[in-house]
Amino acid sequence: MSVTLNVNGKDHTVEADPDSMLLYALRDDLKLHGPKFGCGLSQCGACTVIIDGAATRSCVTPLSSLDKSSKITTLEGLGTLEKPHPLQQAFIDEQAAQCGYCISGMIMTAKAFLDENPHPSRDDIKDALNDNLCRCGTHMRIVRAVERAAKANGG
């Protein structure tokens, strides 16, 4: 079955079963490798994308739950190598990634959070990122990166 997805501001048509998860369409069909397969159970956050402004776990989001008006944003839709999004730049400046596996999900969760709460406290940031797992232990660098991005945007 053909499914049309609006990803990073562009419409894409993929051939997929409507019960297939969004993560597979993004990675396999659209070749977007920001969202990662981590647990497949919505528990780690590595697959997080933004759908209509909300951080969403793409590993448990069936294509059938989306429609043509759904706006999906992946890490690739935020910035470029030449001009990273301020949040991406903050993660670079704080050296918040070690292995990097969780970082896309962390950034996408933080982006949706900062869009809703541009002036967060440190505790707000920790709460917002609490369900995203990082096994490398760069949690404090990640929190500092989100704080830096909020300050850069007047937060």
Side-chain angles (χ1 to χ4, degrees):
M1 170 179 190
S2 291
V3 178
T4 300
L5 303 170
N6 184 288
V7 180
N8 300 327
K10 296 179 182 173
D11 285 338
H12 302 273
T13 301
V14 297
E15 293 296 323
D17 186 304
D19 293 329
S20 293
M21 297 304 139
L22 174 60
L23 177 63
Y24 302 126
L26 294 173
R27 289 185 61 83
D28 299 341
D29 297 311
L30 301 183
K31 306 300 182 203
L32 297 170
H33 296 122
K36 306 279 191 277
F37 181 88
C39 65
L41 301 169
S42 186
Q43 295 179 353
C44 72
C47 68
T48 303
V49 298
I50 297 173
I51 301 176
D52 297 329
T56 305
R57 305 292 170 95
S58 64
C59 72
V60 295
T61 303
L63 293 174
S64 61
S65 70
L66 304 168
D67 59 41
K68 289 181 184 180
S69 68
S70 298
K71 304 292 185 213
I72 303 161
T73 306
T74 68
L75 184 69
E76 295 88 348
L78 293 187
T80 65
L81 287 174
E82 299 78 27
K83 187 170 171 41
H85 183 277
L87 192 53
Q88 291 169 310
Q89 187 62 54
F91 271 69
I92 293 166
D93 294 343
E94 291 294 334
Q95 298 180 19
Q98 254 184 24
C99 84
Y101 205 82
C102 71
I103 294 302
S104 174
M106 291 282 191
I107 290 173
M108 298 312 290
T109 300
K111 169 79 168 82
F113 167 69
L114 290 176
D115 286 349
E116 291 292 318
N117 184 355
H119 309 289
S121 69
R122 180 170 273 204
D123 286 339
D124 292 337
I125 294 168
K126 288 178 180 180
D127 286 344
L129 297 176
N130 188 54
D131 292 334
N132 287 70
L133 303 180
C134 170
R135 296 197 182 264
C136 296
T138 63
H139 297 91
M140 291 314 299
R141 290 180 186 181
I142 291 167
V143 169
R144 284 195 309 267
V146 177
E147 287 177 320
R148 181 187 286 249
K151 288 177 186 163
N153 287 330

